Amino acid sequence: MQATAACGSRVVHLSRSAAACYRTMATSTCFLQPAAASQRQAGFMGRQCGMLAGGARRMGQQHSSSRGFRSTTAMGLKTGIVGLPNVGKSTMFNALCENAKAQAANFPFCTIEPNVGIVAVPDSRLALLSNISGSLKTVPTSVEFVDIAGLVKGASKGEGLGNQFLANIRECDSIVQVVRCFEDGDVIHVAGKVDPVDDIDVINFELALADITQIEKRLDRLKKTKSAGKVGEEAKRNEVEAGALQRIMAALESNKPARSVALNEEEEGLVRALYLLTAKPMVYAANVAEDDLAAPDANKHVVALRQKAEEEGSGVVVVSAQVEAELNGLDAEEAAEYLGALGVEEGGLKSLIRSTYQQLGLLTYFTTGEKETRAWTIREGFTAPQAAGVIHTDFEKGFIRAETVGYADFVAAGGYSAAKEKGQLRLEGKEYVVKEGDVMLFRFNV
């Protein structure tokens, strides 16, 4: 079991007996590239250099304020694609992830195991930054899409593939629910009719039932702990948790998701361990025919879906799974021409990722130099040391300052040196809150 970490100008091999890593003064970063296939092995290697198990864990647990958010933002966002059978879910997954193995067939439950695809986040800013810096390589941030098997009514009780569905979706940071908004007599609908509001009600009801079961079990344990005469800080925490769970339960019983309940920081921390399904950010992907892409408001199904999403505070993105599939075989120029002919400017991937980032409260900052230009995903509100910790825990521990230039200023000036001469390079300290598109160089000492 071995991984390679590129640090400064050296390449250091990490193994069971060698966990040391040469680190330089902030002009470069430490990147772990596991050669091992399993997640368990990758976790071991991450613990060796402190990046995966350190930086990612610190980001997800110490700094996160979002309920149910996993500790893997540093390695990419994990989004589950869900939907009833035959709504175009696997077709969309195949289109978004060119190397996906899902079989999009016209019958229920064609996706038995979750298929996973890592997709680079499209960001035109990266190429320009890389060109200005003369970078040898360009590294985008990524989204991990998981194609999760369809479900039917009764999934929370194990009907259909319900148990697998609920277990797989619990591991995701956010949910993209594909909803059929097109009419096609050749494609069977599991309910016999196209009604997007009914479709999402089926899935959301099953998610809510699963959460209710979780909460009931937890409240029962808390009640037993109270009966046992627990006192002190633990008893106080249990009281706070029980109060938060009771409010969430009331919301669920009123057909509202857990994410609709306002919780303070302490309550969020206590509830997070349950990984409630309805606490996860939801984006509805309205799957329409290609003729409806340019004017989705003329589609009655899209209108109804948007109204429903607005009521619960979820996002809606209009996409066409078939169009996304067509785009896979085209180069950039052909794709732009094809989309232009349809009357739209971009494909569904950019829209989906943008909406998901918005729902999760994420933003992107950049590091750039001769060796590489790289995009990093962090939470809105992260300070400079926290953002540095996503690259490596040592960057946060020994943080001194961050040399920062806004993206637009960096491009206009033509690089760090020119930005500094124009007075656009700022020396930011520990209290600085990172902004979308910041180009940053971290100085640290350990």
Side-chain angles (χ1 to χ4, degrees), residues 32-152:
L32 184 67
Q33 298 177 326
S38 76
Q39 192 171 16
R40 183 177 181 181
Q41 290 171 324
F44 170 83
M45 291 182 286
R47 288 192 293 274
Q48 296 297 304
C49 77
M51 176 176 142
L52 298 183
R57 182 178 64 249
R58 287 169 64 82
M59 179 176 176
Q61 295 179 358
Q62 293 185 12
H63 307 312
S64 172
S65 62
S66 176
R67 287 157 272 166
F69 188 77
R70 302 175 314 115
S71 57
T72 55
T73 303
M75 294 176 285
L77 173 68
K78 186 172 184 178
T79 297
I81 300 182
V82 304
L84 291 175
N86 299 333
V87 296
K89 175 179 62 68
S90 291
T91 300
M92 183 173 297
F93 174 83
N94 287 338
L96 295 176
C97 310
E98 295 183 60
N99 297 322
K101 302 297 183 182
Q103 298 298 312
N106 186 23
F107 58 90
F109 312 129
C110 62
T111 311
I112 305 301
E113 296 294 336
N115 289 265
V116 180
I118 307 296
V119 178
V121 175
D123 196 326
S124 58
R125 297 173 295 182
L126 270 174
L128 192 50
L129 289 174
S130 184
N131 184 57
I132 291 172
S133 300
S135 302
L136 295 177
K137 64 177 181 177
T138 303
V139 184
T141 188
S142 64
V143 173
E144 180 179 345
F145 282 112
V146 184
D147 182 18
I148 299 174
L151 82 168
V152 294

Side-chain angles (χ1 to χ4, degrees), residues 22-294:
Y22 178 82
R23 298 178 175 89
T24 62
M25 276 295 291
T27 55
S28 57
T29 56
C30 175
F31 306 109
L32 184 67
Q33 298 177 326
S38 76
Q39 192 171 16
R40 183 177 181 181
Q41 290 171 324
F44 170 83
M45 291 182 286
R47 288 192 293 274
Q48 296 297 304
C49 77
M51 176 176 142
L52 298 183
R57 182 178 64 249
R58 287 169 64 82
M59 179 176 176
Q61 295 179 358
Q62 293 185 12
H63 307 312
S64 172
S65 62
S66 176
R67 287 157 272 166
F69 188 77
R70 302 175 314 115
S71 57
T72 55
T73 303
M75 294 176 285
L77 173 68
K78 186 172 184 178
T79 297
I81 300 182
V82 304
L84 291 175
N86 299 333
V87 296
K89 175 179 62 68
S90 291
T91 300
M92 183 173 297
F93 174 83
N94 287 338
L96 295 176
C97 310
E98 295 183 60
N99 297 322
K101 302 297 183 182
Q103 298 298 312
N106 186 23
F107 58 90
F109 312 129
C110 62
T111 311
I112 305 301
E113 296 294 336
N115 289 265
V116 180
I118 307 296
V119 178
V121 175
D123 196 326
S124 58
R125 297 173 295 182
L126 270 174
L128 192 50
L129 289 174
S130 184
N131 184 57
I132 291 172
S133 300
S135 302
L136 295 177
K137 64 177 181 177
T138 303
V139 184
T141 188
S142 64
V143 173
E144 180 179 345
F145 282 112
V146 184
D147 182 18
I148 299 174
L151 82 168
V152 294
K153 290 182 180 179
S156 59
K157 299 178 181 179
E159 295 293 331
L161 298 172
N163 291 330
Q164 292 171 262
F165 173 89
L166 297 173
N168 292 328
I169 200 172
R170 203 175 296 280
E171 299 172 357
C172 298
D173 300 310
S174 62
I175 304 170
V176 170
Q177 189 175 154
V178 181
V179 186
R180 179 171 170 175
C181 293
F182 65 89
E183 303 280 355
D184 188 339
D186 294 330
V187 180
I188 305 166
H189 190 287
V190 69
K193 64 175 182 177
V194 177
D195 189 329
V197 174
D198 278 356
D199 288 355
I200 65 176
D201 281 346
V202 168
I203 290 183
N204 291 344
F205 180 72
E206 298 301 332
L207 298 181
L209 282 181
D211 282 350
I212 287 173
T213 300
Q214 283 267 94
I215 292 173
E216 286 177 341
K217 290 179 180 178
R218 180 58 181 164
L219 286 174
D220 185 54
R221 286 195 293 270
L222 291 174
K223 184 177 180 180
K224 290 178 179 177
T225 300
K226 184 176 181 179
S227 299
K230 290 285 185 179
V231 295
E233 290 299 317
E234 182 180 354
K236 291 179 181 179
R237 287 196 301 270
N238 289 346
E239 285 292 334
V240 172
E241 182 182 356
L245 291 177
Q246 286 166 356
R247 300 206 313 275
I248 294 174
M249 177 74 83
L252 292 171
E253 290 174 344
S254 299
N255 297 321
K256 296 179 180 178
R259 59 183 174 274
S260 68
V261 179
L263 301 178
N264 61 36
E265 187 174 350
E266 181 184 11
E267 291 171 330
E268 286 186 351
L270 293 170
V271 170
R272 189 179 302 133
L274 293 181
Y275 288 92
L276 297 176
L277 302 177
T278 64
K280 298 178 184 294
M282 177 78 75
V283 176
Y284 295 113
N287 186 16
V288 302
E290 66 173 34
D291 294 338
D292 290 336
L293 272 178

Side-chain angles (χ1 to χ4, degrees), residues 405-442:
V405 185
Y407 170 78
D409 290 338
F410 186 94
V411 172
Y416 275 118
S417 298
K420 185 176 182 179
E421 291 175 2
K422 293 183 177 182
Q424 295 171 329
L425 187 148
R426 311 183 306 275
L427 301 181
E428 302 290 0
K430 294 182 178 180
E431 302 303 317
Y432 176 70
V433 177
V434 180
K435 297 180 178 61
E436 171 65 38
D438 274 350
V439 182
M440 309 186 79
L441 179 67
F442 298 108

Side-chain angles (χ1 to χ4, degrees), residues 352-391:
L352 269 179
I353 293 174
R354 185 166 54 247
S355 184
T356 301
Y357 267 49
Q358 183 179 5
Q359 291 290 316
L360 280 169
L362 303 177
L363 59 80
T364 301
Y365 79 88
F366 303 99
T367 54
T368 185
E370 291 183 1
K371 292 182 180 178
E372 75 168 30
T373 292
R374 185 170 185 137
W376 301 91
T377 299
I378 61 172
R379 284 201 166 281
E380 292 177 358
F382 264 31
T383 60
Q386 291 171 339
V390 173
I391 300 175

